[in-house]
Amino acid sequence: MKNFSKVLICALVLALLLAFPIKSDGYFSAAAETQTDYAVTSAEAEAMLKKFVGGESGKERLDRTSFSEGEKLAAQFIADFMNGAGWETRTDEFEYTATAGRKTENFRSQNVVSVLKCGKENAKRVIVGANYDNQTSDVKVGDYPLLKGTEGHGAYMNGTGVATLLALAQKLTGIRLDFDLYFVFFGAGEVYNRGAESYAESLKATEIADTLMMVNLQRIGGDKIYAYSDEVKTDHGTYVTEKSKEYGEGFHSVADTIPRMDVEYVLGIGYTHMGMVGGSRPFADRNVPYVNVFGGTFDTFGFALDESKGKKNIAYTKDDTTAAMDERMSGYADKMANVANTLYGCFTSDDFAESVKNARENKMDYSLIMTEWIPYVIVIGTLILCALAMIPIAGHFSKKYPIKKITRKVKVAVFGMDYEDKDSGDVFIDLKKSEPRDPFDGY
């Protein structure tokens, strides 16, 4: 009887706990709820990367070199996948003309454009992009190397960006958003972001104006994930960064002190860094609010972006493979899942469109400092400032080390130059006339 009472009491306590669950404000509770609903798991992200890059079951996607047949096959794989996920998908071909010396050659590539329509008239749009090509093999114009092949598979750069989008696309299928969502997979990204440039060029002025934001994904892995939207804080960049903290470590900001890479950005001015390059650049040039999401670390003694502390970079090397990522980049799948879930959280939040709709108006206007005459003004202004700075410096040293004034008197040598005081500060003049010289005496 006693045992029965104990069992009954335990059952009642358990029932009460289930009826009134203890709420926790901790991260793991919120994450657990998120995982059961929609989240891209780390396992799904890793599986998608290996499915896209290929291996024993997909060797044709190991080499996706820009303009190659392998790149075309990769585009077909993406298009089939996105169609299968229920997204409206098309493939847009574009041409790129490269000239080297007297040799000119036309190359062809393609962008895969998928859209999830919201069904509203005059809907705003959000664009998310990632380049899917790599540079496994050489690309030449005559004898000139347009791309130098690395023999790597482009797993990190940029299979991770593509796989993150593919995994996210599956979770968004069937969801009605407040805007049209475009996933654009750029071809020829390794050649001056030609795919992104081509797509941006194809947009009408009204479509550019209706774009709330562009997000670019590249190199998702390494020690940290960075989100860059401008040299100063922006509304849309802050929104995405804050949202990322709900799904993992959170995105990091690009420090003001990171080294600047010597890459021409606009109008011949060599000012840029890793946050400014990639598929987001053509949209930044068109005043579209953007967030460039990329992985790595600036916390090293290198002169640019590294991937992990104490480990060699694999991007653009023969080691850019899924096997090398498994060995050197523990946790890369967690970061891919973090990025996918952050974007899901952004796009499905009720306040997203409202929070970023004024991003364009609130963006800092750099047009004045991006004109061609600015560098000349800076140089001339620097020279003037240096000259002005020398005035007090010269005055200081003239007081500290004054120049003694030497006054010399001019005197007539009375007894001849040989008998005057040569040690004095006076200057003597010999008035004695010299005898005329014979021109044959020589000189």
Side-chain angles (χ1 to χ4, degrees):
M1 189 67 181
K2 291 182 178 179
N3 291 335
F4 177 77
S5 298
K6 291 179 179 179
V7 172
L8 182 60
I9 293 172
C10 290
L12 289 172
V13 172
L14 181 60
L16 288 171
L17 290 174
L18 293 174
F20 303 98
I22 298 174
K23 292 185 178 181
S24 170
D25 293 329
Y27 163 75
F28 291 103
S29 175
E33 289 183 17
T34 303
Q35 290 284 342
T36 57
D37 291 338
Y38 67 84
V40 173
T41 65
S42 299
E44 288 173 331
E46 181 179 346
M48 188 63 73
L49 173 63
K50 293 178 178 178
K51 182 178 181 179
F52 169 66
V53 173
E56 294 302 319
S57 61
K59 292 183 178 179
E60 70 278 1
R61 289 187 299 280
L62 298 179
D63 187 346
R64 308 183 304 279
T65 301
S66 308
F67 313 120
S68 69
E69 186 64 24
E71 183 198 45
K72 190 173 183 178
L73 290 171
Q76 186 61 54
F77 171 87
I78 294 170
D80 291 343
F81 182 94
M82 295 300 291
N83 274 317
W87 291 54
E88 296 179 22
T89 302
R90 70 177 191 270
T91 300
D92 295 342
E93 292 190 355
F94 62 89
E95 193 172 87
Y96 173 63
T97 302
T99 301
R102 297 181 179 180
K103 181 70 174 179
T104 298
E105 190 166 344
N106 294 325
F107 296 95
R108 300 193 68 82
S109 183
Q110 53 282 312
N111 292 327
V112 180
V113 183
S114 299
V115 58
L116 196 63
K117 293 281 189 178
C118 69
K120 298 179 181 180
E121 292 185 8
N122 302 319
K124 299 293 184 179
R125 68 176 63 197
V126 171
I127 301 169
V128 188
N131 73 287
Y132 64 88
D133 59 313
N134 63 13
Q135 58 179 77
T136 300
S137 305
D138 292 343
V139 178
K140 294 184 176 182
V141 180
D143 295 329
Y144 175 79
L146 188 62
L147 275 182
K148 180 65 177 176
T150 65
E151 301 180 6
H153 302 160
Y156 181 52
M157 182 61 196
N158 188 33
T160 52
V162 174
T164 300
L165 283 190
L166 295 178
L168 176 58
Q170 287 184 314
K171 304 296 180 178
L172 286 167
T173 298
I175 293 179
R176 185 63 61 87
L177 303 175
D178 293 332
F179 47 85
D180 293 341
L181 181 59
Y182 286 79
F183 279 10
V184 187
F185 302 86
F186 302 127
E190 300 301 337
V191 184
Y192 315 116
N193 303 300
R194 283 311 309 166
E197 186 70 45
S198 175
Y199 179 73
E201 287 175 352
S202 71
L203 296 177
K204 300 176 182 177
T206 53
E207 294 173 327
I208 290 287
D210 286 337
T211 301
L212 291 172
M213 185 170 68
M214 189 275 172
V215 182
N216 183 67
L217 305 184
Q218 57 184 0
R219 300 162 66 125
I220 308 301
D223 288 350
K224 297 179 180 179
I225 296 296
Y226 292 91
Y228 176 84
S229 60
D230 205 339
E231 290 296 276
V232 296
K233 286 186 177 180
T234 62
D235 294 343
H236 55 289
T238 300
Y239 185 94
V240 173
T241 300
E242 289 300 315
K243 184 66 69 174
S244 70
K245 297 175 183 177
E246 300 177 18
Y247 304 99
E249 178 186 352
F251 298 165
H252 295 261
S253 298
V254 178
D256 295 335
T257 55
I258 69 169
R260 307 305 190 194
M261 294 162 48
D262 186 18
V263 180
E264 181 179 307
Y265 178 55
V266 64
L267 293 178
I269 300 176
Y271 172 77
T272 193
H273 56 74
M274 189 62 207
M276 291 181 176
V277 298
S280 57
R281 185 194 61 78
F283 298 89
D285 290 344
R286 290 163 174 81
N287 199 34
V288 174
Y290 69 95
V291 179
N292 193 10
V293 180
F294 57 95
T297 179
F298 290 108
D299 301 334
T300 64
F301 292 105
F303 294 100
L305 177 70
D306 287 322
E307 293 161 10
S308 296
K309 282 186 177 181
K311 299 176 182 177
K312 292 182 179 180
N313 291 355
I314 67 172
Y316 302 112
T317 73
K318 65 179 181 180
D319 294 325
D320 192 353
T321 63
T322 55
M325 291 186 69
D326 289 338
E327 179 183 350
R328 303 185 194 179
M329 288 186 180
S330 60
Y332 72 84
D334 296 335
K335 293 179 174 63
M336 291 173 63
N338 178 207
V339 172
N341 295 329
T342 294
L343 294 181
Y344 186 103
C346 289
F347 300 153
T348 57
S349 294
D350 294 335
D351 64 341
F352 171 73
E354 186 67 23
S355 298
V356 302
K357 71 176 184 179
N358 296 322
R360 198 186 308 266
E361 289 73 17
N362 295 337
K363 180 179 179 295
M364 184 173 287
D365 184 8
Y366 294 111
S367 59
L368 178 63
I369 64 173
M370 298 307 282
T371 54
E372 293 182 346
W373 50 268
I374 286 295
Y376 300 101
V377 173
I378 293 174
V379 172
I380 295 173
T382 301
L383 293 175
I384 293 174
L385 290 175
C386 289
L388 293 174
M390 289 300 295
I391 294 175
I393 294 173
H396 169 75
F397 282 102
S398 64
K399 290 180 180 179
K400 189 173 182 180
Y401 305 104
I403 300 174
K404 295 181 180 180
K405 186 177 180 180
I406 301 175
T407 303
R408 293 188 174 187
K409 297 179 180 180
V410 178
K411 296 182 178 181
V412 177
V414 179
F415 300 104
M417 292 293 291
D418 295 337
Y419 300 96
E420 301 300 340
D421 185 4
K422 296 183 175 63
D423 296 328
S424 71
D426 298 333
V427 178
F428 291 92
I429 301 174
D430 190 356
L431 298 179
K432 185 178 68 175
K433 295 182 180 180
S434 59
E435 295 295 329
R437 300 186 65 185
D438 191 324
F440 297 101
D441 289 344
Y443 293 91

